[in-house]
Amino acid sequence: MNATPAETTGPALRTLSGLRFSKGHGTGNDFVLVADPEGTHVIGADQAAALCDRHRGIGADGLIRAVPSRFLPEGRELLAGTPDAEWFMDYRNADGSLSEMCGNGVRVFVHFLRTEGLIDLPDGGSLTIGTRAGVKTVVRTGDGYAVDMGPWEFIFPGEASAKAMDSLVTADGLEVPRPALSVSMGNPHTVVALAELAELTGTRLFTAPKVDPVPANGTNVEFVVPAEPLVHDGVGSVTMRVHERGVGETQSCGTGACAAAVATRHWAGAEAPDAWQVHVPGGVVGVKFFAGPGGHEHVELSGPAVIVASGTLS
């Protein structure tokens, strides 16, 4: 018989007794953070899920372990090509599953390293970190952090180019399935355009939307409403809600905001801007497109990061 969450959360947390942690968020996308400079904290899927449990644990959208890259096989692989990627963002979703990365989490991760005294990053300075989606460069700005999220790509490029859609999404609150566009930001996203804010508000995300066809590793699903007018003073604007795989609806999703901007810009055509504001329930993040190395277009995500509490598990 499978154990219920109530049966597993307590024992899983007891194995972590004495563990120091912090709680932080980026535009409401919240995380439990653990510093592990010696690489001694092995936190498995059940323990991560117990920590993130909002009723019996600390509560969060995900767990971030800050660990030197040399202690992880994925980190050592990145160090071979990027020796300055000293720190690795070891990230798990709220259900304990491993994830490639999280755009809001990257900002909170770097802010956590600063507040823990593990790095010195002056305003305007940059830091290279390792993630399961590759190396990321983070710049400290006056009121937050900007992250080079790397290149984006369509998951189904043929359909995206030919039809500007590649799948259908069914969600509670929407009467019929809606066309969508799938974008990889190192992790998978499926973006659905809605006509008005009332549709966005009426979409119920208590359960995961159904995506057909679904990308190989599952997908996060973003529902976006373009602003009217779409562009103001050279900056595009959309409002977004998101259902994250392994989590549920969250207040914000950084990679999802990037994917929403990618899809909306594609739908808007050649005259669409390269700078965007994405309004999420937890606030506003900025997205910019710029020419990266090797001719690949990169995406920059910018926004705040906050540490709200620290403590020790009893």
Side-chain angles (χ1 to χ4, degrees):
M1 181 177 70
N2 292 329
T4 66
E7 293 170 332
T8 59
T9 300
L13 286 179
R14 284 195 291 273
T15 65
L16 299 173
S17 178
L19 181 72
R20 290 186 63 249
F21 68 91
S22 291
K23 177 73 179 287
H25 76 89
T27 53
N29 201 182
D30 61 339
F31 311 94
V32 174
L33 300 112
V34 175
D36 190 11
E38 303 302 323
T40 56
H41 297 310
V42 179
I43 303 176
D46 288 345
Q47 294 167 316
L51 285 168
C52 294
D53 189 300
R54 294 195 180 276
H55 301 286
R56 301 179 181 89
I58 298 166
D61 293 326
L63 170 73
I64 298 174
R65 181 173 68 121
V67 60
S69 295
R70 66 181 184 275
F71 291 123
L72 290 172
E74 304 98 314
R76 290 192 291 271
E77 184 177 344
L78 293 175
L79 284 172
T82 313
D84 57 346
E86 176 185 358
W87 287 97
F88 192 92
M89 177 183 159
D90 183 16
Y91 181 65
R92 288 184 180 271
N93 292 315
D95 66 353
S97 60
L98 287 172
S99 184
E100 297 87 349
M101 66 161 301
C102 170
N104 290 317
V106 170
R107 300 195 313 274
V108 179
F109 170 73
V110 173
H111 190 55
F112 175 64
L113 291 176
R114 284 187 56 232
T115 59
E116 290 290 300
L118 295 170
I119 63 168
D120 179 21
L121 187 64
D123 192 11
S126 65
L127 179 73
T128 301
I129 65 168
T131 77
R132 290 188 174 86
V135 170
K136 305 298 176 187
T137 300
V138 184
V139 176
R140 182 184 171 192
T141 62
D143 57 354
Y145 300 86
V147 186
D148 179 356
M149 303 293 286
W152 64 270
E153 61 182 355
F154 290 124
I155 294 176
F156 305 110
E159 291 87 342
S161 297
K163 299 182 293 183
M165 59 85 67
D166 51 40
S167 55
L168 290 175
V169 172
T170 303
D172 288 346
L174 295 178
E175 293 183 355
V176 296
R178 301 300 177 91
L181 192 57
S182 301
V183 177
S184 173
M185 288 301 312
N187 59 354
H189 297 269
T190 300
V191 184
V192 181
L194 301 179
E196 55 189 23
L197 291 174
E199 277 193 320
L200 186 65
T201 302
T203 303
R204 296 187 288 271
L205 298 180
F206 303 111
T207 58
K210 296 180 180 178
V211 181
D212 183 25
V214 64
N217 296 317
T219 190
N220 305 285
V221 184
E222 287 79 27
F223 297 87
V224 301
V225 177
E228 183 56 50
L230 177 64
V231 181
H232 180 71
D233 289 339
V235 179
S237 181
V238 299
T239 300
M240 180 188 95
R241 289 176 63 197
V242 57
H243 186 284
E244 293 195 53
R245 57 178 180 163
V247 184
E249 183 175 11
T250 59
Q251 291 288 295
S252 181
C253 176
T255 52
C258 294
V262 168
T264 306
R265 188 179 68 151
H266 184 69
W267 290 326
E271 300 303 315
D274 290 333
W276 293 80
Q277 283 191 337
V278 181
H279 299 257
V280 294
V284 182
V285 295
V287 177
K288 290 183 179 180
F289 297 89
F290 65 96
H296 297 289
E297 187 174 60
H298 281 220
V299 184
E300 178 191 87
L301 173 71
S302 59
V306 180
I307 301 295
V308 297
S310 295
T312 303
L313 288 178
S314 61

